[in-house]
Amino acid sequence: MSLLDEHRAYLIEMRQLAQDEQGRDVLAGLTVEETEFYLSEMDAPGASDRWLELDNRHQRAIAEMISAENEARQAGPKH
């Protein structure tokens, strides 16, 4: 996935971007191939079942990251 630095920074801030095992940018919760499909179909009229499944997985991954960050903040520093 090719991103401008400002787009990458925004997606990271919004908890939408992650990296796979090879250090490639992917949408959170998706593989490289799934990310490419998701982005290519994003503006297509009428969402396919596959796109909806990937969107659900992507949204769950974002929610899990935010939840983990909130739990870590509430736990505070370890002494």
Side-chain angles (χ1 to χ4, degrees):
M1 173 171 41
S2 176
L3 295 170
L4 298 173
D5 288 340
E6 62 262 18
H7 293 153
R8 178 178 284 109
Y10 174 78
L11 291 172
I12 290 169
E13 180 68 25
M14 300 307 294
R15 311 308 188 263
Q16 292 192 26
L17 193 64
Q19 288 190 332
D20 69 4
E21 302 82 33
Q22 289 79 36
R24 298 175 294 189
D25 288 330
V26 294
L27 293 176
L30 304 181
T31 66
V32 168
E33 293 79 17
E34 292 167 338
T35 294
E36 290 172 359
F37 174 82
Y38 183 93
L39 294 174
S40 72
E41 297 289 315
M42 191 173 221
D43 295 325
S48 68
D49 288 342
R50 181 170 183 225
W51 189 91
L52 290 171
E53 184 267 322
L54 294 176
D55 186 55
N56 285 333
R57 193 169 355 136
H58 176 53
Q59 297 303 325
R60 278 193 310 270
I62 293 167
E64 289 170 8
M65 283 192 287
I66 292 170
S67 178
E69 289 173 2
N70 286 336
E71 287 177 21
R73 278 192 202 104
Q74 290 176 359
K78 295 180 181 180
H79 298 283

